[in-house]
């Protein structure tokens, strides 16, 4: 084999077939609590794109790693198969969404198989099949029974192009565009079905604190989305309109309220619009809630401040939202930025009523003692300058009558108590989840509308309500399916009509991890006992764009199922990884930009292993990274060289006894060094795989391969036992990411000839996926890091001495390891929190016995106390340096002697410190 690639097609197909024949990725129903690794299931849009490939390579690598560690693993795959794009594609192609979707699934499944993803395809789920969506319907009726479904008239976001209602989350940006087609969104009033997620707002919010395996960014996005605020509800009287409820989190600022504002769709605003043309024009034309600056119009009315009796002007303003709070607010320009901007624009008074709290930390204690008490008392709080900016923090009340001098928090309590109409209140940004969609390709909402009985749930025995044949129309196809729509009322038997809305597809994805547990179960959505054993998902991986909707709805469903269906966990995903994007020249790949790299071409040209390895080594999974053809080529060359290395040495390796590895540093220092490097690579890669920092794990595995290759090339007679252990470890460290080639090479290292396809099937039984164990290291990651740092620093020190002293041809180099008492002293210094470190050191007899040397070292430790960290112990440093001595010998072409302090000349040994051996170079 040359450096230029290898026959990846034959190898990858061979092992994919062998795995399939052996059913290698199946998770039997009777395994106990498998490690559940899950990638967000894809929408079958046509072909896999690079984002999918990255997502699923991450889960596949982690699932394979867990398997090699001996875990039972559940790693399923399915299809988020309902949704509008299929409907649009079917219209364009004059087919139907079902056929189009199933075609896409077939294509994408084939691509997944060619990527070598190890899924349990026996557990495949497809949400557009009645077998799946009947359980969406069943869950809907269960939610209804529990009072968690509501039907109400609602103003909804309407995309005129998609002809459908959109959830708030599907309306994007300040311009309010449809998330699918970028058309500006309009509003409409429609009867809608809602799931009452707000019932769980508090738990959804509070439980976020315990989701320690989730990225903080996602946790914060969910907190903001739920948006809980504690405050006060109170009423202001508006002349002619009676008491009007307002919500504020800052009732402490009520003396600074200089105007009152109503949302454009507040009932009073709407009433005014009937008689006041200016108000009407403002509401209909000028109001722009998403605009950069607040707009509004005076109504000529006044509102009465319930504390001061002051009359303040009432405005209709677009920054007041009717669905947040009460749609009315008292505005305090001095202490709220938005109110401030509005007041500046309209020339309204800005009246400060909160002063910054005097900062106690700024006042020295001594000054406090010396200060005259009378002065302290008479010192007025500094009035903040609110001319240009609002002062929005809590502080001390001023200009607030009897409340002057109170701190904000106390004032809020007192005012809420004192104001007659006031009470404590909590507000949320979170709204109930409208799930009605006026489109065809979704789960029919299992409801029948009867003139006499109203909306009636379809009884369980009549589920599923199956979709009729697709009708190509511009409106809602189910409205056009007249035969399907006509039915009888389950309650009175009279004529009735089916609900023609379908469910938001986020319903499907809110519980799908549970379906994988028992995908064929006919009696229930999931097998409860098994779900309680197997769930929650241990590691979930997907895009950050799902931080709110999918991940919040899934949490909501899980909590409802825990409360009403006996599920024993309340969160669906224990650990979450949000993977970064695959970019090209710094830009997101997209069809519209024409910068898409096709996974299929990469697999054909370089193989799945190359594509997978390049992706995983290029960046940490959470980060974005740039696709690079050169990177792919060099990854491919690396794999080809690894393959050649194994093939060149396989015969000698098979004959050797791997357990004999571990040469003595004196007899064969290079072999001993390589043996240490094998352990180091295993230790680091293992810890990094645990952390899902695949890029670091792979760097280590690749570095090990390079070390082994240098060893095999540079030494006349490489120890086959050392090579065997090293290559076997390297192949397994790479196996989670390059499973095909790993299987091939592992078989060769066992003496099998996998190029014979019949042998491959036999080999798979003893191979990486089914039989191999993760390699074990004799060290841990921390020790390796310390050892490497020591060797690196020592080499750098030798270089510097040679450079500074101008030594041309060193005769010998002594490396002197510090005496044991210095390691003891260092350890004491790190553990100690005593002021007098020297005293503490001198309390140790064996340190005190060192006299001046101990005092001097103690001073050094004292000076660097904050920066100290524990090194290896003396013996371990001695061993590490001896193992690396040959490297130094090669670099400087002089014999190197590693000695302990007690065996070295006193004037040299004196300079040796833990982590920093003394160096003595003879010319
Ligand atoms: Zn649209
Ligand atoms: Zn009826």
């Amino acid at each position: 084999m040359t450096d230029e690639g290898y026959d990846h097609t034959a190898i990858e197909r061979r092992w994919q077939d062998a795995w399939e024949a052996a059913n290698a990725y199946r998770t039997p129903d009777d395994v106990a609590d498998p490690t559940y690794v899950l990638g967000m299931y894809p929408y079958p849009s046509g072909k896999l794109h690079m984002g999918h490939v990255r997502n699923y390579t991450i889960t596949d690598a982690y699932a394979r790693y867990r398997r090699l560690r001996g875990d039972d693993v559940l790693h399923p795959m399915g299809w988020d198969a309902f949704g509008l794009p299929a409907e649009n594609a079917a219209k364009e192609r004059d087919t139907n969404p079902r056929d189009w979707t199933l075609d896409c699934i077939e294509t994408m499944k084939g691509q997944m198989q060619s990527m070598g993803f190890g899924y349990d395809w026996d557990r495949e789920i497809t949400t557009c099949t009645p077998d799946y969506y009947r359980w969406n319907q069943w869950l809907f009726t269960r939610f209804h029974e529990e009072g968690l479904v509501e039907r109400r008239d609602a103003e909804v976001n309407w995309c005129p192009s998609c002809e459908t209602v959109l959830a708030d989350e599907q309306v994007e940006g300040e311009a309010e565009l449809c998330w699918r087609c970028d058309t500006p969104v309009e509003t409409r009033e429609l009867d809608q079905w809602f799931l009452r997620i707000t019932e769980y707002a508090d738990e959804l919010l509070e439980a976020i604190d315990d989701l320690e395996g989730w990225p903080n960014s996602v946790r914060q996005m969910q907190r903001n989305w739920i948006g809980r605020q504690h405050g006060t509800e109170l009423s202001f009287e508006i002349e002619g309109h009676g008491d009007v409820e307002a919500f504020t989190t800052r009732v402490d600022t009520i003396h600074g309220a200089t105007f009152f504002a109503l949302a454009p769709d507040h009932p009073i605003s709407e009433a005014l619009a009937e008689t006041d043309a200016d108000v009407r024009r403002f509401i209909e034309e000028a109001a722009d809630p998403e605009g950069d600056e607040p707009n509004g119009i005076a109504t000529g009315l006044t509102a009465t401040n319930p504390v001061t009796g002051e009359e303040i002007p009432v405005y209709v303003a677009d920054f007041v939202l009717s669905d947040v709070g009460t749609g009315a607010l008292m505005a305090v320009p001095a202490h709220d930025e938005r109110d401030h901007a509005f007041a500046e624009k309209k020339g309204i008074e800005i009246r400060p009523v909160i002063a910054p709290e005097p900062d106690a930390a700024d006042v020295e204690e001594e000054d406090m003692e010396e200060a005259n008490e009378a002065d302290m008392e008479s010192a007025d709080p500094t009035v903040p300058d609110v001319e240009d900016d609002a002062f929005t923090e809590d502080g001390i009340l001023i200009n607030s009558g009897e409340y002057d001098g109170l701190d904000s928090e106390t004032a809020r309590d007192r005012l809420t108590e004192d104001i007659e109409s006031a009470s404590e209140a909590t507000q949320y940004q979170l709204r109930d989840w409208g799930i009605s969609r006026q489109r065809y390709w979704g789960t029919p909402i299992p409801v029948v509308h009867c003139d006499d009985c109203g909306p009636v749930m379809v009884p369980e025995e009549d589920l599923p309500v199956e979709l009729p044949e697709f009708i190509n129309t511009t409106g809602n196809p189910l409205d056009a399916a007249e035969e399907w729509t006509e039915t009888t009322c389950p309650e009175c038997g009279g004529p009735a009509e089916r609900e023609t809305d379908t469910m938001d597809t986020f319903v499907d994805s809110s519980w799908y991890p549970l379906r994988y547990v028992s995908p064929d179960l006919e009696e229930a959505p999931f097998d409860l006992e098994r779900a309680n054993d197997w769930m929650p998902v241990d590691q979930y991986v997907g895009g950050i764009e799902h931080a709110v909707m999918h991940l919040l709805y899934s949490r909501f469903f899980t909590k409802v199922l825990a409360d009403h269906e006996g599920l024993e966990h309340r969160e669906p995903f224990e650990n979450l990884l949000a993977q970064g994007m695959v970019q090209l020249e710094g830009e997101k790949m997209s069809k519209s930009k024409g910068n898409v790299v096709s996974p299929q071409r990469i697999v054909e040209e370089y193989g799945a292993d190359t594509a997978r390895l390049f992706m995983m080594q290029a960046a940490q999974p959470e980060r974005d990274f740039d696709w690079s053809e050169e990177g792919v080529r060099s990854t491919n060359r690396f794999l080809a060289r690894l393959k050649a290395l194994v093939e060149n040495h396989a015969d000698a390796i098979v004959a050797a006894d791997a357990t004999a590895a571990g040469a003595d540093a004196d007899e064969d220092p290079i072999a001993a060094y390589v043996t240490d490097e094998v352990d180091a690579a295993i230790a680091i890669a293992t810890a990094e795989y645990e952390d899902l920092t695949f890029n670091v794990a792979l760097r280590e595995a690749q570095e090990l391969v390079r070390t082994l290759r240098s060893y095999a090339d540079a030494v006349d007679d490489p120890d086959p036992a050392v090579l065997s252990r090293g290559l076997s470890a390297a192949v397994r460290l790479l196996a989670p990411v390059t499973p095909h080639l790993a299987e091939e090479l592992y078989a060769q290292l066992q003496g099998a000839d996998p190029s014979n396809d019949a042998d491959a099937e036999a080999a798979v039984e003893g191979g990486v996926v089914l039989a191999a164990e993760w390699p074990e290291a004799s060290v841990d990651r921390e020790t390796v890091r310390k050892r490497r740092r020591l060797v690196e620093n020592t080499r750098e020190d030798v270089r510097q001495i040679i450079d500074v002293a101008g030594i041309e041809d060193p005769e010998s180099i002594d490396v002197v390891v510090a005496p044991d008492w210095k390691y003891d002293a260092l350890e004491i210094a790190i553990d100690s929190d005593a002021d007098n470190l020297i005293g503490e050191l001198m309390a140790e007899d064996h340190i005190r016995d060192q006299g001046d040397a101990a005092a001097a070292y103690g001073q050094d430790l004292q000076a660097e106390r904050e920066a100290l960290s524990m090194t290896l112990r003396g013996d371990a440093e001695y061993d590490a340096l001896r193992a690396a001595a040959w490297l130094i010998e090669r670099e400087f072409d002089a014999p190197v002697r590693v000695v302990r302090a007690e065996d070295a000349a006193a004037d040299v040994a004196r300079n040796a410190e833990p982590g920093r051996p003394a160096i003595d170079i003879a010319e």
Side-chain angles (χ1 to χ4, degrees):
M1 266 295 165
T2 68
D3 267 5
E4 292 306 312
Y6 61 97
D7 188 356
H8 54 82
T9 310
I11 291 175
E12 294 182 355
R13 189 161 308 145
R14 174 185 309 144
W15 292 104
Q16 283 161 16
D17 290 349
W19 293 329
E20 201 184 331
N23 217 344
Y25 303 104
R26 203 175 136 258
T27 310
D29 283 344
D30 59 1
V31 303
D33 193 18
T35 301
Y36 193 167
V37 181
L38 188 62
M40 290 181 186
Y41 65 176
Y43 178 76
S45 54
K47 284 179 181 164
L48 286 188
H49 56 65
M50 277 297 172
H52 291 131
V53 172
R54 188 176 191 196
N55 190 162
Y56 303 139
T57 302
I58 292 168
T59 53
D60 192 57
Y62 189 64
R64 287 173 183 278
Y65 168 70
R66 300 283 7 151
R67 243 181 254 277
L68 277 158
R69 294 306 305 262
D71 294 12
D72 287 313
V73 169
L74 173 61
H75 187 220
M77 183 44 73
W79 310 97
D80 188 12
F82 272 139
L84 191 64
E87 217 165 314
N88 293 339
K91 282 183 188 179
E92 276 171 33
R93 292 166 178 77
D94 202 25
T95 172
N96 66 76
R98 187 173 177 279
D99 290 348
W100 188 80
T101 301
L102 295 182
D103 276 355
C104 290
I105 289 176
E106 202 184 315
T107 306
M108 290 168 77
K109 188 170 175 180
Q111 286 185 296
M112 286 180 176
Q113 284 164 330
S114 75
M115 286 302 302
F117 297 143
Y119 296 125
D120 180 354
W121 286 110
D122 290 352
R123 296 184 181 276
E124 179 180 7
I125 57 171
T126 306
T127 58
C128 66
T129 59
D131 285 350
Y132 186 88
Y133 70 68
R134 68 174 296 182
W135 299 113
N136 288 339
Q137 295 173 340
W138 184 88
L139 287 164
F140 180 86
T141 59
R142 284 292 297 123
F143 275 50
H144 184 262
E145 281 162 26
E146 300 300 343
L148 292 167
V149 173
E150 220 172 57
R151 179 173 173 77
R152 54 174 189 255
D153 195 39
E155 189 166 271
V156 293
N157 306 302
W158 175 264
C159 172
S161 166
C162 299
E163 296 180 315
T164 188
V165 171
L166 301 174
D168 287 343
E169 299 91 324
Q170 294 165 333
V171 178
E172 294 186 331
E174 292 208 348
E176 303 203 288
L177 302 179
C178 168
W179 72 320
R180 286 285 193 207
C181 73
D182 286 350
T183 302
V185 168
E186 299 169 358
T187 58
R188 275 199 180 182
E189 292 274 339
L190 280 176
D191 265 342
Q192 299 280 294
W193 291 100
F194 287 86
L195 298 186
R196 298 177 61 197
I197 188 173
T198 54
E199 289 287 298
Y200 283 82
D202 285 321
E203 194 198 335
L204 286 167
L205 178 72
E206 284 155 18
I208 292 172
D209 293 346
D210 299 325
L211 294 176
E212 286 167 10
W214 284 39
N216 283 330
S217 56
V218 174
R219 294 161 82 186
Q220 199 49 46
M221 282 160 90
Q222 292 213 346
R223 285 192 190 102
N224 294 344
W225 189 262
I226 296 166
R228 183 168 73 183
Q229 287 190 314
H230 297 295
T232 306
E233 224 159 53
L234 75 172
S235 38
F236 279 62
E237 196 191 335
I238 295 183
E239 49 180 314
H241 296 273
D243 286 341
V244 178
E245 283 277 299
F247 173 81
T248 176
T249 58
R250 292 296 305 271
V251 72
D252 55 316
T253 64
I254 193 166
H255 291 79
T258 51
F259 67 99
F260 194 82
L262 299 168
D265 54 353
H266 192 281
I268 297 178
S269 309
E270 285 175 350
L272 289 172
E274 310 232 323
T275 54
D276 185 329
D278 289 341
V279 171
R280 186 172 61 244
R281 206 169 307 120
F282 171 75
I283 294 173
E284 285 174 2
E285 291 163 26
D288 176 17
E290 304 291 324
D292 284 339
E293 56 177 62
N295 304 301
I297 186 156
T299 62
L301 300 174
T302 58
T304 308
N305 186 318
V307 178
T308 62
E310 185 181 7
E311 307 256 315
I312 55 176
V314 176
Y315 287 79
V316 174
D318 61 6
F319 64 85
V320 190
L321 303 176
S322 63
D323 64 347
V324 178
T326 59
L329 55 84
M330 67 172 211
V332 186
H335 302 293
D336 179 277
E337 275 162 21
R338 203 191 34 200
D339 297 352
H340 192 279
F342 188 82
E344 269 190 319
K345 204 168 154 178
K346 299 283 179 186
I348 302 169
E349 185 193 349
I350 300 172
R351 184 195 307 159
V353 294
I354 304 288
E357 200 129 11
D359 193 344
D362 287 348
V363 186
E364 290 285 325
E365 256 174 65
E366 285 161 52
D367 295 344
M368 292 281 280
E369 280 164 23
E370 280 169 21
N372 180 319
E373 268 187 36
D375 283 352
M376 290 296 286
E377 273 174 16
S378 66
D380 283 327
T382 324
V383 178
D385 178 5
V386 292
E387 208 47 50
D388 297 325
D389 286 299
F391 171 70
T392 57
E393 283 161 47
D394 275 5
I396 303 294
L397 271 67
I398 53 173
N399 300 330
S400 299
E402 58 178 296
Y403 301 92
D404 276 358
L406 293 180
D407 62 89
S408 290
E409 199 178 325
T410 311
R412 282 194 286 270
D413 290 345
R414 282 268 288 276
L415 280 153
T416 306
E417 213 165 279
D418 294 352
I419 301 168
E420 213 189 310
S421 66
S423 59
E424 280 179 29
T426 305
Q427 298 278 352
Y428 302 85
Q429 297 280 344
L430 183 69
R431 294 285 159 266
D432 279 334
W433 173 15
I435 60 156
S436 298
R437 297 290 180 274
Q438 291 67 44
R439 52 169 91 134
Y440 169 79
W441 196 226
T443 302
I445 293 177
V447 168
V448 160
H449 296 280
C450 167
D451 282 345
D452 293 331
C453 314
V456 179
M457 292 292 133
V458 174
E460 190 178 338
E461 60 269 24
D462 294 339
L463 299 181
V465 176
E466 288 199 37
L467 279 171
E469 289 301 307
F470 179 60
I471 296 173
N472 193 345
T473 127
T474 51
N476 180 351
L478 291 186
D479 278 334
E482 282 167 26
E483 258 179 60
W484 179 85
T485 314
E486 279 174 28
T487 185
T488 50
C489 170
E491 244 161 55
C492 70
E497 290 199 339
R498 289 195 186 283
E499 168 77 49
T500 56
D501 284 355
T502 54
M503 292 184 197
D504 183 359
T505 58
F506 280 110
V507 173
D508 316 7
S509 56
S510 290
W511 66 280
Y512 80 105
L514 283 160
R515 189 64 184 168
Y516 288 128
V517 163
S518 46
D520 304 318
L521 191 66
E522 286 180 10
E523 297 76 34
F526 51 89
D527 181 294
L528 182 61
E529 205 180 313
R530 205 178 304 147
N532 283 337
D533 187 36
W534 287 14
M535 289 285 287
V537 173
D538 293 281
Q539 183 64 56
Y540 197 35
V541 180
I544 189 82
E545 67 273 20
H546 294 295
V548 181
M549 293 183 271
H550 163 56
L551 289 169
L552 191 65
Y553 297 151
S554 302
R555 297 183 59 220
F556 164 51
F557 261 58
T558 306
K559 290 174 194 308
V560 174
L561 293 171
D563 285 340
H564 302 293
E565 292 298 323
L567 212 54
E568 284 170 3
H569 56 274
R570 301 190 71 82
E571 291 288 343
F573 310 115
E574 177 123 13
N575 296 290
L576 172 70
L577 189 156
Q579 97 267 7
M581 279 189 301
V582 185
Q583 302 176 322
L584 194 65
E585 284 158 6
E587 284 204 83
K588 185 180 179 179
M589 287 187 191
S590 76
K591 271 188 203 157
S592 58
K593 287 194 199 115
N595 64 346
V596 174
V597 175
S598 148
Q600 196 154 346
R601 175 181 70 77
I602 299 297
V603 170
E604 280 164 16
E605 209 163 315
Y606 301 100
D609 284 340
T610 294
R612 294 167 58 120
L613 178 56
F614 169 67
M615 264 195 178
M616 300 293 277
Q617 78 189 8
Q620 205 172 307
E622 294 88 347
R623 301 272 166 81
D624 297 342
F625 82 92
D626 237 37
W627 185 267
S628 133
E629 198 79 10
E630 180 42 42
V632 176
R633 274 197 292 272
S634 94
T635 304
N636 187 246
R637 282 195 295 272
F638 165 80
L639 290 178
R641 284 196 294 262
L642 168 62
K643 183 169 180 293
L645 178 63
V646 170
E647 277 164 5
N648 292 340
H649 296 275
D651 290 345
I653 283 170
V654 170
D657 178 5
T659 57
D664 183 82
D666 284 333
E667 282 168 25
D668 190 346
I670 299 180
Y673 171 82
V674 172
T675 301
D676 280 354
E677 283 302 292
V678 174
D679 278 301
I682 297 170
I684 297 216
T686 303
E688 302 293 341
Y689 268 117
E690 284 294 328
D691 294 348
L692 293 107
T693 36
F694 302 101
N695 54 323
V696 185
L698 294 167
R699 197 189 306 146
E700 200 62 34
Q702 288 177 280
E703 201 47 56
L704 174 60
V705 171
R706 280 180 207 111
T707 303
L708 293 168
R709 209 174 59 239
S710 313
Y711 175 58
D713 291 351
V715 179
D716 289 338
D717 185 17
D719 182 340
V722 171
L723 260 188
S724 169
R725 178 165 179 268
L727 283 171
S728 169
V731 161
R732 282 173 290 161
L733 296 182
L734 289 165
V737 179
T738 61
H740 311 88
L741 188 62
E743 197 85 81
E744 177 94 358
L745 301 183
Y746 194 73
Q748 287 177 10
L749 290 169
Q750 316 279 315
D753 173 17
S755 64
N756 174 343
D757 282 8
D759 270 12
E761 267 182 43
V764 80
E765 294 295 335
V768 178
V769 172
L770 290 179
E773 284 172 17
W774 192 251
E776 276 192 48
S778 59
V779 283
D780 59 39
R781 173 166 59 176
E782 213 28 55
T783 306
V784 172
R785 284 179 175 162
K786 285 175 179 168
R787 234 161 48 183
R788 287 184 175 170
R789 208 176 307 135
L790 173 72
V791 170
E792 220 156 279
N793 288 345
T794 305
R795 290 175 79 173
E796 183 55 33
D797 283 353
V798 174
R799 257 172 240 141
Q800 276 201 1
I801 292 168
I802 286 179
D803 191 40
V804 170
I807 300 170
E808 303 236 320
D809 186 17
E811 193 180 308
S812 70
I813 302 170
D814 278 6
V815 177
V816 181
V817 177
D820 280 339
W821 67 266
K822 283 195 178 174
Y823 294 91
D824 294 341
L826 174 62
E827 201 168 343
I828 291 169
I830 288 169
D831 291 344
S832 160
D833 47 16
D835 287 334
N836 179 7
L837 175 61
I838 309 283
E840 201 172 333
L841 293 175
M842 291 308 169
E844 299 287 324
D845 289 349
H846 76 290
I847 295 176
R848 194 180 54 236
D849 288 349
Q850 305 300 325
D852 289 350
Y857 187 51
Q859 298 285 359
D860 290 350
L861 291 175
Q862 175 71 35
E864 286 169 46
R865 225 161 148 185
E866 300 301 316
L868 296 177
S869 64
M870 199 53 209
T871 62
L872 298 171
R873 294 292 310 189
D875 291 341
E877 290 208 333
Y878 175 75
D879 289 344
L881 289 165
R882 262 179 24 116
W886 68 278
L887 282 170
I888 307 175
E889 285 183 356
R890 284 198 171 190
E891 182 175 349
F892 303 102
D893 195 23
V896 170
R897 219 162 54 101
V898 180
V899 286
R900 301 302 305 258
E902 50 270 32
D903 302 325
D907 60 326
V908 179
R910 190 192 308 132
N911 298 322
E913 289 181 9
R916 195 118 236 172
I919 290 158
D920 187 28
I921 302 177
E923 274 189 274

